[in-house]
Each structure stands twice: as structure tokens, then as C-alpha cells.
């Protein structure tokens, strides 16, 4: 059931994205976004309210994304019912109140885990490999521990490359991802193919 909901949510969002890309995004550009940034990805994700700018009208494309912020992106991307997870129990002791329901929703949906049994790593910058893994799980890949083989990072990078998640992304696998790069990798995921069951 969870994979069906995920597929429907991603499919609906991808359809909306396709329409925006064909017609051209009507979203106003942020003052701090230039043609050197992934402007199309930023505007499309703004239009479908997956990623938005700050109260000053800036997107802050060069700002690193934390793991807690990535949980917000993932919850928005999958249209998770975050309000159902307010006050939900999670094993992590380092999740700030503003991110608790988002992390809890993603954790319950199998999208994310911690960096240890009790630490989520909320304030750590999300790496390219971590972001790719969250997106691949949303697409239906890596549903079981055995799917990774001997190294989850190698398996993640290989699968992410196969489905085109890293197109337009220059980050090294353990490098912190910027908001600009997260917007692009999220758009790449929306344009990607869901896992096909055997």
C-alpha cells in the first residue's frame, strides 16, 4: 500500500511538473537565482510547493541543506500527511521541534533513517549519496537491506546514476548539497522512472 501511495503521489507531481515544463513556469524568479543556478528546477519546485524561498523572497541557492530540511523536501515531494505525525514517537533525540513531524513521517514511510540508533543528524548537511538514497527509496528502490549488497553508498550511487538522478549535479558523493542541487536532484527524481516490480 505504501508503494502504491508513493507511486501515485510521485506520478501526480511528475504530471504537474511536465505540464509546467511544457508551458513554461509562471513562477516568479527569485532575486538571488541566476542562470548559473538550476533555475528551471527551482521554479518548478516552487510552483508545486516542494521547495520555497525565505520570507525575504530569496531562494538561497548556495546554502547547504541539512538532513532535517531534506526531510521537509521529501515529505512535500511525497505529499505525506505530516500533520498526522505531530508528537509521534521517533528514536532520534536531536530532531528540532519544527522538523519533528517531517522526520517522523519520512521515518515511518521508510524514506529515511538515522546516522545512529538515536541520532538523526538533523543539523548535518545532507550529502549527495544520502539525498539520492531518500529519493531512490521514494521511487521504490532499496526496500530491503539485502538490496544494497555490501556497500550502501556504492549501490546508491550506481542506481542513482542509472536512473539519471545526478544529471546537472556536480557534488561529490559525500559533499554537502546546496539548495540549488537539491532542487535539481528532486526534479530529476520526478522525471525518473519508478521501480518496476519483478
Amino acid at each position: 500500500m505504501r508503494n502504491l501511495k508513493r507511486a501515485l503521489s510521485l506520478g501526480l507531481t511528475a504530471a504537474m511538473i511536465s505540464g509546467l515544463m511544457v508551458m513554461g513556469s509562471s513562477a516568479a524568479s527569485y532575486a538571488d537565482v541566476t542562470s548559473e543556478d538550476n533555475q528551471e528546477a527551482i521554479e518548478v519546485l516552487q510552483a508545486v510547493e516542494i521547495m520555497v524561498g525565505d520570507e525575504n523572497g530569496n531562494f538561497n541557492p548556495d546554502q547547504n541543506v541539512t538532513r532535517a530540511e531534506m526531510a521537509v523536501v521529501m515529505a512535500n515531494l511525497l505529499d505525506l500527511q505530516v500533520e498526522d505525525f505531530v508528537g509521534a514517537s521517533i528514536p532520534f533525540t536531536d530532531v528540532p521541534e519544527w522538523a519533528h513531524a517531517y522526520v517522523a513521517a519520512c521515518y515511518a514511510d521508510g524514506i529515511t533513517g538515522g546516522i545512529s540508533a538515536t541520532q538523526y543528524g538533523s543539523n548535518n548537511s545532507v550529502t549527495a549519496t544520502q539525498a539520492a538514497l531518500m529519493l531512490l527509496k521514494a521511487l521504490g528502490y532499496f526496500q530491503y537491506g539485502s538490496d544494497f549488497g555490501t556497500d550502501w553508498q556504492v549501490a546508491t550511487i550506481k542506481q542513482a546514476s542509472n536512473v539519471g538522478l545526478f544529471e546537472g549535479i556536480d557534488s561529490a558523493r559525500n559533499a554537502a548539497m546546496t539548495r540549488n542541487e537539491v532542487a535539481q536532484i528532486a526534479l530529476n527524481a520526478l522525471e525518473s522512472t519508478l521501480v518496476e516490480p519483478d
Side-chain angles (χ1 to χ4, degrees):
M1 179 62 97
R2 184 173 70 193
N3 284 338
L4 177 60
K5 180 182 175 191
R6 190 176 292 155
L8 291 173
S9 180
L10 281 170
L12 177 61
T13 306
M16 291 171 58
I17 300 267
S18 295
L20 286 171
M21 292 174 76
V22 170
M23 295 169 37
S25 175
S26 61
S29 294
Y30 293 104
D32 62 342
V33 173
T34 68
S35 60
E36 294 177 12
D37 298 310
N38 294 309
Q39 191 168 10
E40 180 181 47
I42 290 168
E43 290 183 353
V44 169
L45 293 184
Q46 175 199 17
V48 294
E49 298 181 353
I50 292 171
M51 289 181 78
V52 295
D54 64 19
E55 64 278 358
N56 298 319
N58 293 314
F59 186 76
N60 303 304
D62 297 323
Q63 180 179 312
N64 288 347
V65 175
T66 66
R67 286 176 47 83
E69 292 166 339
M70 189 67 193
V72 174
V73 171
M74 293 305 302
N76 290 341
L77 183 68
L78 294 169
D79 195 24
L80 299 179
Q81 302 303 309
V82 175
E83 61 277 1
D84 294 344
F85 292 90
V86 173
S89 177
I90 54 175
F92 312 120
T93 59
D94 64 335
V95 178
E97 186 61 35
W98 65 265
H100 183 93
Y102 294 97
V103 172
C106 289
Y107 180 70
D109 209 45
I111 299 300
T112 191
I115 59 172
S116 75
T118 59
Q119 298 291 301
Y120 182 69
S122 293
N123 294 324
N124 297 358
S125 294
V126 71
T127 66
T129 309
Q130 291 168 345
L133 180 57
M134 291 180 201
L135 290 162
L136 287 169
K137 285 186 172 190
L139 290 168
Y141 298 93
F142 301 121
Q143 299 303 301
Y144 306 101
S146 59
D147 294 345
F148 294 113
T150 58
D151 189 326
W152 73 270
Q153 291 189 51
V154 170
T156 298
I157 291 166
K158 181 178 177 183
Q159 189 60 51
S161 297
N162 287 343
V163 299
L165 288 189
F166 292 133
E167 290 180 21
I169 307 292
D170 293 328
S171 285
R173 69 179 188 161
N174 289 320
M177 291 199 83
T178 63
R179 286 176 53 81
N180 179 43
E181 292 165 332
V182 167
Q184 185 62 52
I185 199 170
L187 181 60
N188 292 347
L190 289 169
E191 295 173 339
S192 185
T193 306
L194 292 167
V195 69
E196 295 291 332
D198 291 334

